[in-house]
Structure formats: C-alpha cells, structure tokens
Amino acid sequence: MSKVALITGAAGGLGRAVAERLHEEGWSLIVTSRSVSRLREAYGQAHLQLEADCSTVAGARYILEVATAETLLPTALAHCVGNIRLGALHRMKEEDFMSCLNANLVGAFHTLAAFVGALREANSPGSAVLVSSAAARIGTPNHEAVAAAKAGVEGLVRAAAATYAAAGIRVNAVAPGIMETPATTGVLATAAAREIAARQYPLPGIGSASELAGLMTWLLSEQATRVTGQVWSLDGGFSTIRPLVR
Ligand SMILES: NC(=O)c1ccc[n+]([C@@H]2O[C@H](COP(=O)([O-])OP(=O)(O)OC[C@H]3O[C@@H](n4cnc5c(N)ncnc54)[C@H](OP(=O)(O)O)[C@@H]3O)[C@@H](O)[C@H]2O)c1
C-alpha cells in the first residue's frame, strides 16, 4: 500500500513544488485548495483533489473525513497555506491583520488538529511540516503582522510535537526567507526590487519553492524519524548570522 500525503494550499507556489517532490518520492497525494478549478489547472485529473477552506474547523475536518472515507488516511501533512501582509504596525488595517492571522495561524491550528485527530483515531504514527518565516525569528521592518502569526505557528509546532511524541507523531516547521512564488510577484515585480531583496541576505539571492520543498520532503521522510519540534531555517543566513560589513 502506498503512503499518503496531504498538501494544503496545494494550488500555491510552494504547494505545487511540494506536490511534485512528494510525487517523485512515491507518495500518493491529497491536494486541497479553496478553489477546485485552481487544483484542476495545477494537476489536471491527478491526485485526490478536495475543495475546502482549511482555515475553518469544518473545512479542516471535512478534508480528513473525505480522505478517511476514501481509505486514504494521510500519514504526512505539508501545510502550505498562508499569505503575506506587509505594512507598518500603526498603519495595518484590522481586516488585513485578521486575514494574516487567519491564513497563517488559525488555519495551521485547525489543520494540524484535524490531521493528528485522524491519526489518533487510526492509532497511526505520522509527520507534519508547517511553514513559518524568517520574520518570526528576527525583527524585520513592516513584518509585524506576519511575524506575530508565524511566531504563533512555531509555538504550535513545539507544543504539538511534545503532546504527540509518544504516539509517534512528529511535528516540524520550516522558516524560509523570500521565495519566488505567486505570493511575492508584486514585491519582486521589478529588477531593482529583486536586486534589493536579494541583497538583504548574507548568502545573496531569492529562494525557490523547489528548494524548500526538498527540505519539507526530507522532514516528512523516514530519514527524519528522530526529528521533531524543530524549526528549520532556509534563509541564506538572514535570521542567524551577520557577516562583517565592508
Ligand atoms: N513566498 C515567500 O516569500 C514566503 C516567505 C516566507 C514564508 N512563506 C510561506 O510559505 C507558505 C506558502 O506560500 P506561497 O509563497 O506558496 O504563497 P501562495 O502561492 O500564495 O500560496 C499560498 C496558498 O495559501 C492559500 N490561502 C491563502 N489564504 C488562505 C486562507 N485565508 N485560508 C485558506 N487558504 C488560504 C491559497 O490557496 P487557495 O487560494 O488555492 O485556497 C494559496 O494558494 C505560506 O505559509 C507563506 O506564508 C512564503
């Protein structure tokens, strides 16, 4: 029987890259989006495609209910939902902050809850990987909303990893710097903006979704069975080192 992975936000830039990697590694996939037409566009007829909003309890539970009913219990979760809301704290609109919290933190909480709930019901081990951001670790101008939401994700990961370790369920996160995906099309729209963005990193450059997907695939794999409660940075050193300025 093949191993089954659930990818949320699967029509997005990172979600697609993770799907490609996991498929190459022999996983059967369940892919979700709030729009089934976006899934069709990304995957044609491949994989089990589910339209659901996993930022709600009902949406997250629906995904696991359908998967279980199809005898496709996922033992891996790659939660790739999120948005980027940039802006100085004093100017951030309430609706933008709530959208940021909802997409990045509330959805992670409900999706992870539904996933571990289904694993516990089936008495199965499993592994989840969530997505944080370099901005959760180091103060970055105008990132107050996303930093607050992603710091919450990192706390969620550590607590859930502790709760479910004895059940053989691993929970980790990755924390990228800027990546080329539809979420950053606007920010990276001009050559000058790309150049400035790339220069912010000790290892200069813009990250790619496929690079991060490789790390996420490894965290979900049998090579990482001793890894839990960790947040793995993939940010060109942005959050941890400060090279000599010349
Ligand atoms: N790109 C970067 O530079 C960067 C940097 C740091 C962290 N990240 C994180 O990486 C993850 C993947 O982002 P990405 O770059 O691949 O962006 P993306 O291409 O925009 O994909 C994100 C997906 O999340 C889903 N989504 C957004 N808001 C949602 C909500 N309120 N409820 C449910 N689903 C929602 C959307 O799926 P549907 O519309 O299809 O439902 C969207 O396709 C996110 O957690 C993001 O915060 C990205």
Side-chain angles (χ1 to χ4, degrees):
M1 211 172 71
S2 78
K3 40 197 192 162
V4 179
L6 167 62
I7 304 165
T8 56
L14 180 61
R16 283 183 186 221
V18 171
E20 194 178 324
R21 282 292 183 118
L22 287 173
H23 183 59
E24 280 167 13
E25 298 288 325
W27 293 80
S28 295
L29 303 183
I30 302 166
V31 289
T32 80
S33 160
R34 291 168 299 177
S35 154
V36 78
S37 61
R38 278 165 52 72
L39 290 172
R40 284 274 182 280
E41 194 185 306
Y43 301 105
Q45 299 296 321
H47 316 309
L48 174 59
Q49 301 177 11
L50 297 179
E51 182 176 83
D53 182 352
C54 61
S55 66
T56 67
V57 174
R61 285 190 185 157
Y62 166 79
I63 294 166
L64 274 302
E65 276 162 19
V66 174
T68 310
E70 300 267 344
T71 59
L72 280 174
L73 174 74
T75 55
L77 164 67
H79 181 64
C80 300
V81 162
N83 67 17
I84 301 172
R85 291 279 180 275
L86 301 184
L89 177 59
H90 71 287
R91 281 200 292 265
M92 173 83 35
K93 290 190 189 131
E94 181 182 4
E95 70 214 56
D96 286 339
F97 176 57
M98 294 315 290
S99 157
C100 185
L101 273 189
N102 205 43
N104 291 294
L105 178 57
V106 176
F109 189 95
H110 296 322
T111 306
L112 186 60
F115 174 68
V116 295
L119 289 177
R120 299 295 290 125
E121 186 95 354
N123 207 13
S124 168
S127 176
V129 60
L130 278 63
V131 185
S132 179
S133 162
R137 294 229 158 155
I138 184 164
T140 309
N142 302 319
H143 281 64
E144 288 86 342
V146 72
K150 295 298 196 182
V153 169
E154 295 191 7
L156 167 66
V157 161
R158 284 186 286 267
T163 304
Y164 299 107
I169 299 170
R170 301 185 297 109
V171 186
N172 292 288
V174 291
I178 196 164
M179 288 182 295
E180 185 106 52
T181 70
T184 51
T185 308
V187 187
L188 299 174
T190 64
R194 293 179 72 83
E195 164 75 22
I196 290 170
R199 269 198 276 125
Q200 304 305 313
Y201 294 85
L203 293 172
I206 310 278
S208 76
S210 73
E211 198 176 43
L212 189 66
L215 175 58
M216 293 172 74
T217 300
W218 179 78
L219 283 168
L220 294 172
S221 78
E222 284 174 5
Q223 271 99 58
T225 48
R226 299 290 298 155
V227 181
T228 197
Q230 302 296 312
V231 180
W232 292 64
S233 292
L234 209 168
D235 64 2
F238 183 83
S239 61
T240 42
I241 62 172
R242 188 174 193 284
L244 195 63
V245 176
R246 293 179 194 278

